[in-house]
PDB file of all heavy atoms in Angstrom:
ATOM      1  N   MET A 163      18.196  50.227 -24.756  1.00  0.00           N
ATOM      2  CA  MET A 163      17.008  49.344 -24.615  1.00  0.00           C
ATOM      3  C   MET A 163      16.044  49.665 -25.738  1.00  0.00           C
ATOM      4  O   MET A 163      15.683  50.834 -25.921  1.00  0.00           O
ATOM      5  CB  MET A 163      16.338  49.618 -23.236  1.00  0.00           C
ATOM      6  CG  MET A 163      17.132  49.183 -22.076  1.00  0.00           C
ATOM      7  SD  MET A 163      16.347  49.479 -20.498  1.00  0.00           S
ATOM      8  CE  MET A 163      16.491  51.277 -20.353  1.00  0.00           C
ATOM      9  N   SER A 164      15.655  48.692 -26.547  1.00  0.00           N
ATOM     10  CA  SER A 164      14.952  48.841 -27.744  1.00  0.00           C
ATOM     11  C   SER A 164      13.449  48.899 -27.457  1.00  0.00           C
ATOM     12  O   SER A 164      12.920  48.295 -26.606  1.00  0.00           O
ATOM     13  CB  SER A 164      15.190  47.714 -28.723  1.00  0.00           C
ATOM     14  OG  SER A 164      16.526  47.642 -29.088  1.00  0.00           O
ATOM     15  N   PHE A 165      12.764  49.691 -28.382  1.00  0.00           N
ATOM     16  CA  PHE A 165      11.280  49.593 -28.414  1.00  0.00           C
ATOM     17  C   PHE A 165      10.937  48.234 -29.067  1.00  0.00           C
ATOM     18  O   PHE A 165      11.531  47.857 -30.049  1.00  0.00           O
ATOM     19  CB  PHE A 165      10.676  50.702 -29.286  1.00  0.00           C
ATOM     20  CG  PHE A 165       9.225  50.535 -29.587  1.00  0.00           C
ATOM     21  CD1 PHE A 165       8.316  50.436 -28.518  1.00  0.00           C
ATOM     22  CD2 PHE A 165       8.767  50.343 -30.879  1.00  0.00           C
ATOM     23  CE1 PHE A 165       6.944  50.222 -28.800  1.00  0.00           C
ATOM     24  CE2 PHE A 165       7.458  50.178 -31.116  1.00  0.00           C
ATOM     25  CZ  PHE A 165       6.503  50.101 -30.124  1.00  0.00           C
ATOM     26  N   GLY A 166      10.114  47.567 -28.415  1.00  0.00           N
ATOM     27  CA  GLY A 166       9.840  46.090 -28.755  1.00  0.00           C
ATOM     28  C   GLY A 166      10.270  45.284 -27.571  1.00  0.00           C
ATOM     29  O   GLY A 166       9.477  44.424 -27.156  1.00  0.00           O
ATOM     30  N   SER A 167      11.468  45.492 -27.036  1.00  0.00           N
ATOM     31  CA  SER A 167      11.798  44.872 -25.805  1.00  0.00           C
ATOM     32  C   SER A 167      11.091  45.607 -24.681  1.00  0.00           C
ATOM     33  O   SER A 167      10.584  44.995 -23.764  1.00  0.00           O
ATOM     34  CB  SER A 167      13.302  45.006 -25.593  1.00  0.00           C
ATOM     35  OG  SER A 167      13.986  44.257 -26.538  1.00  0.00           O
ATOM     36  N   LEU A 168      11.037  46.947 -24.772  1.00  0.00           N
ATOM     37  CA  LEU A 168      10.338  47.759 -23.748  1.00  0.00           C
ATOM     38  C   LEU A 168       9.015  48.249 -24.406  1.00  0.00           C
ATOM     39  O   LEU A 168       8.900  48.349 -25.684  1.00  0.00           O
ATOM     40  CB  LEU A 168      11.119  48.959 -23.358  1.00  0.00           C
ATOM     41  CG  LEU A 168      12.439  48.746 -22.623  1.00  0.00           C
ATOM     42  CD1 LEU A 168      12.901  50.035 -21.969  1.00  0.00           C
ATOM     43  CD2 LEU A 168      12.327  47.654 -21.579  1.00  0.00           C
ATOM     44  N   SER A 169       8.016  48.559 -23.607  1.00  0.00           N
ATOM     45  CA  SER A 169       6.717  48.943 -24.078  1.00  0.00           C
ATOM     46  C   SER A 169       6.784  50.451 -24.536  1.00  0.00           C
ATOM     47  O   SER A 169       7.727  51.142 -24.235  1.00  0.00           O
ATOM     48  CB  SER A 169       5.718  48.841 -22.965  1.00  0.00           C
ATOM     49  OG  SER A 169       5.980  49.702 -21.890  1.00  0.00           O
ATOM     50  N   ALA A 170       5.712  50.828 -25.274  1.00  0.00           N
ATOM     51  CA  ALA A 170       5.653  52.172 -25.739  1.00  0.00           C
ATOM     52  C   ALA A 170       5.687  53.189 -24.563  1.00  0.00           C
ATOM     53  O   ALA A 170       6.409  54.203 -24.575  1.00  0.00           O
ATOM     54  CB  ALA A 170       4.362  52.357 -26.516  1.00  0.00           C
ATOM     55  N   ASN A 171       4.920  52.926 -23.490  1.00  0.00           N
ATOM     56  CA  ASN A 171       4.892  53.841 -22.365  1.00  0.00           C
ATOM     57  C   ASN A 171       6.267  53.854 -21.603  1.00  0.00           C
ATOM     58  O   ASN A 171       6.616  54.915 -21.097  1.00  0.00           O
ATOM     59  CB  ASN A 171       3.773  53.424 -21.432  1.00  0.00           C
ATOM     60  CG  ASN A 171       2.414  53.869 -21.890  1.00  0.00           C
ATOM     61  OD1 ASN A 171       2.252  54.529 -22.857  1.00  0.00           O
ATOM     62  ND2 ASN A 171       1.314  53.567 -21.183  1.00  0.00           N
ATOM     63  N   ALA A 172       6.979  52.785 -21.568  1.00  0.00           N
ATOM     64  CA  ALA A 172       8.239  52.739 -20.906  1.00  0.00           C
ATOM     65  C   ALA A 172       9.192  53.689 -21.690  1.00  0.00           C
ATOM     66  O   ALA A 172       9.958  54.430 -21.126  1.00  0.00           O
ATOM     67  CB  ALA A 172       8.830  51.323 -20.822  1.00  0.00           C
ATOM     68  N   ILE A 173       9.191  53.529 -23.016  1.00  0.00           N
ATOM     69  CA  ILE A 173      10.035  54.348 -23.933  1.00  0.00           C
ATOM     70  C   ILE A 173       9.678  55.830 -23.710  1.00  0.00           C
ATOM     71  O   ILE A 173      10.581  56.697 -23.579  1.00  0.00           O
ATOM     72  CB  ILE A 173       9.912  53.935 -25.391  1.00  0.00           C
ATOM     73  CG1 ILE A 173      10.507  52.560 -25.567  1.00  0.00           C
ATOM     74  CG2 ILE A 173      10.624  54.957 -26.258  1.00  0.00           C
ATOM     75  CD1 ILE A 173      12.020  52.410 -25.461  1.00  0.00           C
ATOM     76  N   ARG A 174       8.462  56.131 -23.700  1.00  0.00           N
ATOM     77  CA  ARG A 174       7.959  57.528 -23.529  1.00  0.00           C
ATOM     78  C   ARG A 174       8.415  58.063 -22.193  1.00  0.00           C
ATOM     79  O   ARG A 174       8.857  59.238 -22.090  1.00  0.00           O
ATOM     80  CB  ARG A 174       6.462  57.610 -23.697  1.00  0.00           C
ATOM     81  CG  ARG A 174       5.954  57.381 -25.060  1.00  0.00           C
ATOM     82  CD  ARG A 174       4.474  57.229 -25.135  1.00  0.00           C
ATOM     83  NE  ARG A 174       3.800  58.453 -24.655  1.00  0.00           N
ATOM     84  CZ  ARG A 174       2.565  58.465 -24.073  1.00  0.00           C
ATOM     85  NH1 ARG A 174       1.902  57.357 -23.909  1.00  0.00           N
ATOM     86  NH2 ARG A 174       2.017  59.622 -23.726  1.00  0.00           N
ATOM     87  N   ALA A 175       8.273  57.283 -21.140  1.00  0.00           N
ATOM     88  CA  ALA A 175       8.643  57.730 -19.807  1.00  0.00           C
ATOM     89  C   ALA A 175      10.139  57.964 -19.717  1.00  0.00           C
ATOM     90  O   ALA A 175      10.596  58.992 -19.137  1.00  0.00           O
ATOM     91  CB  ALA A 175       8.174  56.705 -18.729  1.00  0.00           C
ATOM     92  N   LEU A 176      10.959  57.052 -20.278  1.00  0.00           N
ATOM     93  CA  LEU A 176      12.443  57.220 -20.212  1.00  0.00           C
ATOM     94  C   LEU A 176      12.843  58.468 -21.006  1.00  0.00           C
ATOM     95  O   LEU A 176      13.682  59.257 -20.545  1.00  0.00           O
ATOM     96  CB  LEU A 176      13.125  55.951 -20.785  1.00  0.00           C
ATOM     97  CG  LEU A 176      12.978  54.698 -19.893  1.00  0.00           C
ATOM     98  CD1 LEU A 176      13.468  53.482 -20.661  1.00  0.00           C
ATOM     99  CD2 LEU A 176      13.804  54.876 -18.588  1.00  0.00           C
ATOM    100  N   ASN A 177      12.310  58.570 -22.202  1.00  0.00           N
ATOM    101  CA  ASN A 177      12.811  59.682 -23.094  1.00  0.00           C
ATOM    102  C   ASN A 177      12.322  61.005 -22.564  1.00  0.00           C
ATOM    103  O   ASN A 177      13.068  62.037 -22.626  1.00  0.00           O
ATOM    104  CB  ASN A 177      12.365  59.443 -24.534  1.00  0.00           C
ATOM    105  CG  ASN A 177      13.097  60.390 -25.492  1.00  0.00           C
ATOM    106  OD1 ASN A 177      12.504  61.395 -25.884  1.00  0.00           O
ATOM    107  ND2 ASN A 177      14.319  60.100 -25.785  1.00  0.00           N
ATOM    108  N   THR A 178      11.115  61.055 -22.075  1.00  0.00           N
ATOM    109  CA  THR A 178      10.591  62.360 -21.481  1.00  0.00           C
ATOM    110  C   THR A 178      11.402  62.696 -20.273  1.00  0.00           C
ATOM    111  O   THR A 178      11.732  63.848 -20.041  1.00  0.00           O
ATOM    112  CB  THR A 178       9.119  62.214 -21.126  1.00  0.00           C
ATOM    113  OG1 THR A 178       8.379  61.847 -22.260  1.00  0.00           O
ATOM    114  CG2 THR A 178       8.599  63.511 -20.535  1.00  0.00           C
ATOM    115  N   GLY A 179      11.793  61.715 -19.427  1.00  0.00           N
ATOM    116  CA  GLY A 179      12.649  61.922 -18.291  1.00  0.00           C
ATOM    117  C   GLY A 179      13.973  62.412 -18.659  1.00  0.00           C
ATOM    118  O   GLY A 179      14.590  63.264 -17.985  1.00  0.00           O
TER     119      GLY A 179
END
Side-chain angles (χ1 to χ4, degrees):
M163 293 180 285
S164 300
F165 170 60
S167 297
L168 298 193
S169 67
N171 280 357
I173 293 294
R174 291 170 61 206
L176 290 171
N177 193 258
T178 303

